[in-house]
Amino acid sequence: MASTSEPNGAKAITALTFDGSFSSLESLSELYVLQEAASRWAFDTGKDMDGDEVRPSEMFDTIAGTGIGGFYAILFARLNFTIGQAIQTHRTLEERLFASEAWSLKDQEGCIRILDNVLDEVTRILEYTLDSPFKENKPR
């Protein structure tokens, strides 16, 4: 995913988008596909790291998503997570949701509370805060 230029010399904008699926296999597979792409990007750019160590915010100009994809976008774009951190957070969220009555009863508010609790817990452990300023707008 090297930087590319348009014919007029302008730099192309790169975007990463996630869909709103919350089928465990489908949504987690998005992260594993991204992990493989990140491994190749790290190799191509001479970075000595595995795909799970890459921060997608270093690879893409903009990151967006809907549903669980929106959650991923927050993890990567706002909290600057690595792919490995996002996979672990997804697994934690999945364990909590599927073990809860809220999931089995399709209690949307209960599921949102679980999502909020997991996000609070993960950001606290990793010493991130949603109140901190956005990361600097640096060119890749």
Side-chain angles (χ1 to χ4, degrees):
M1 295 186 192
S3 181
T4 58
S5 295
E6 297 297 317
N8 64 3
K11 182 184 169 299
I13 303 263
T14 56
L16 173 64
T17 61
F18 296 99
D19 74 11
S21 166
F22 197 77
S23 155
S24 177
L25 182 60
E26 289 174 16
S27 57
L28 194 54
S29 69
E30 289 181 316
L31 295 179
Y32 285 119
V33 169
L34 177 60
Q35 185 179 43
E36 179 59 30
S39 291
R40 294 174 188 210
W41 173 82
F43 178 81
D44 290 348
T45 58
K47 297 187 184 299
D48 185 25
M49 60 177 60
D50 293 328
D52 65 334
E53 299 173 289
V54 172
R55 297 179 191 284
S57 60
E58 296 175 15
M59 297 171 58
F60 298 95
D61 296 309
T62 190
I63 303 172
T66 61
I68 193 67
F71 181 67
Y72 293 160
I74 291 168
L75 297 181
F76 293 134
R78 179 70 174 106
L79 299 174
N80 203 29
F81 270 37
T82 65
I83 296 169
Q85 290 170 321
I87 289 171
Q88 185 56 48
T89 300
H90 174 95
R91 288 184 177 145
T92 300
L93 177 61
E94 185 178 75
E95 289 169 8
R96 303 260 176 88
L97 276 176
F98 295 149
S100 76
E101 265 188 45
W103 184 259
S104 62
L105 298 175
K106 303 208 182 290
D107 172 12
Q108 191 172 20
E109 287 181 19
C111 290
I112 290 170
R113 276 193 301 280
I114 292 168
L115 175 65
D116 192 39
N117 290 339
V118 168
L119 187 56
D120 283 346
E121 179 182 325
V122 169
T123 55
R124 190 173 44 257
I125 290 169
L126 298 174
E127 298 179 358
Y128 291 112
T129 175
L130 293 174
D131 297 330
S132 63
F134 282 107
K135 65 183 183 68
E136 291 181 32
N137 193 11
K138 299 180 201 172
R140 290 181 289 113

